[in-house]
Amino acid sequence: MESNRGEANSTPPVKLGEKEKKSFAISLMDASIIVLIFTGLTYLLGMKFKDGYLGYYKVTDVMLGDVGMNYIIDSYTNILVLLMFWAFIYIFFLPFLSAAKRTRKALHLVISLFVLYAAITILCLVVFNKIVDEPYSTILIIISTIIMAYDVIDTLVKVQLHKGKFPWLKKTIESVVNKLNPGIWEAQLIIFDIKKNRYLKFLLLIPIIYFASLVFFHLGETEAQRRDEYLIIKYEEKVKDKKTGKEKVKEKDFVVITESKNNLLIAPVDLDEKAITPTYSIIEAKSKFNKLVKLEAMKFNGGLKIDPIKTK
């Protein structure tokens, strides 16, 4: 009997080694795929951030081929700040959520809506540089009032039905529930299939990646809008006076929008109006043009705006 048990439970060393090799190869392949996907996603989101950043200056399809590490770092830093705010909001509301979950579902739902509202407020402020308008808070209060009123009415109706009153209402509720059951079961089966099948889980990544791309694009646009420190090029050129015919030195100011390797993307800027004229040039950092000028760091309160008159 002991020998039979040993034979039944034992696996040949050769087959065991093959299984270990296969499992190691599969895990290594999965890890390689994850690294590849993460690398591609990082580059994509960094490019969307740079696209949004340059889009604020009305620049399209210029210098997007090279996504600098600074754009990737800036974009992910903003996301970390956003996640930090969300974590703070969740931790702050966690005791209320836990207490509400033990008492009433309606109260738990209302507090969850307030958590969602706070998260959306932070999202709009950090990503879109906008404050949520008052109508949204009014809508939230109305929805919360309806939920709580429904909960109170539902509780009163259940108490009366438990006492045997309103038999017609009880039959109506049972018929409605019976009609809704097939749809509820169908939704539960879909959710179960998504949880069970890992390929279906990847389908959920499509809207998530799209939303992340949208967020990173607006993050870049917001970053450019909030930027208040620029490198200014003081360029002096000799021009002839039309009246006297004599040469005089005329100074032009250019702002450095971004740099890529040895290239600078510059545009004329009015320092008094704090406005950029969207006529851009790409120069080499070591070009003849750059030797005639000096770079000066300047800070603009409120940042620089794009001149709307000269964009037409």
Side-chain angles (χ1 to χ4, degrees), residues 115-128:
V115 174
L116 182 62
Y117 176 77
I120 291 173
T121 303
I122 298 298
L123 177 70
C124 291
L125 186 62
V126 175
V127 177
F128 301 99

Side-chain angles (χ1 to χ4, degrees), residues 48-66:
K48 294 302 294 183
F49 180 86
K50 188 174 183 180
D51 189 16
Y53 181 87
L54 295 177
Y56 172 75
Y57 300 102
K58 312 300 180 188
V59 179
T60 57
D61 300 332
V62 177
M63 290 185 166
L64 284 178
D66 179 32

Side-chain angles (χ1 to χ4, degrees), residues 49-88:
F49 180 86
K50 188 174 183 180
D51 189 16
Y53 181 87
L54 295 177
Y56 172 75
Y57 300 102
K58 312 300 180 188
V59 179
T60 57
D61 300 332
V62 177
M63 290 185 166
L64 284 178
D66 179 32
V67 181
M69 187 58 66
N70 58 320
Y71 288 98
I72 295 174
I73 293 173
D74 288 344
S75 59
Y76 279 93
T77 301
N78 287 322
I79 288 295
L80 287 176
V81 171
L82 188 64
L83 292 176
M84 182 183 69
F85 276 119
W86 279 348
F88 174 77

Side-chain angles (χ1 to χ4, degrees), residues 74-123:
D74 288 344
S75 59
Y76 279 93
T77 301
N78 287 322
I79 288 295
L80 287 176
V81 171
L82 188 64
L83 292 176
M84 182 183 69
F85 276 119
W86 279 348
F88 174 77
I89 291 168
Y90 182 76
I91 292 170
F92 177 79
F93 281 101
L94 188 59
F96 302 100
L97 284 168
S98 301
K101 195 172 184 179
R102 291 192 297 268
T103 54
R104 306 189 72 82
K105 290 182 179 180
L107 185 60
H108 183 265
L109 180 59
V110 168
I111 296 177
S112 300
L113 287 175
F114 274 95
V115 174
L116 182 62
Y117 176 77
I120 291 173
T121 303
I122 298 298
L123 177 70

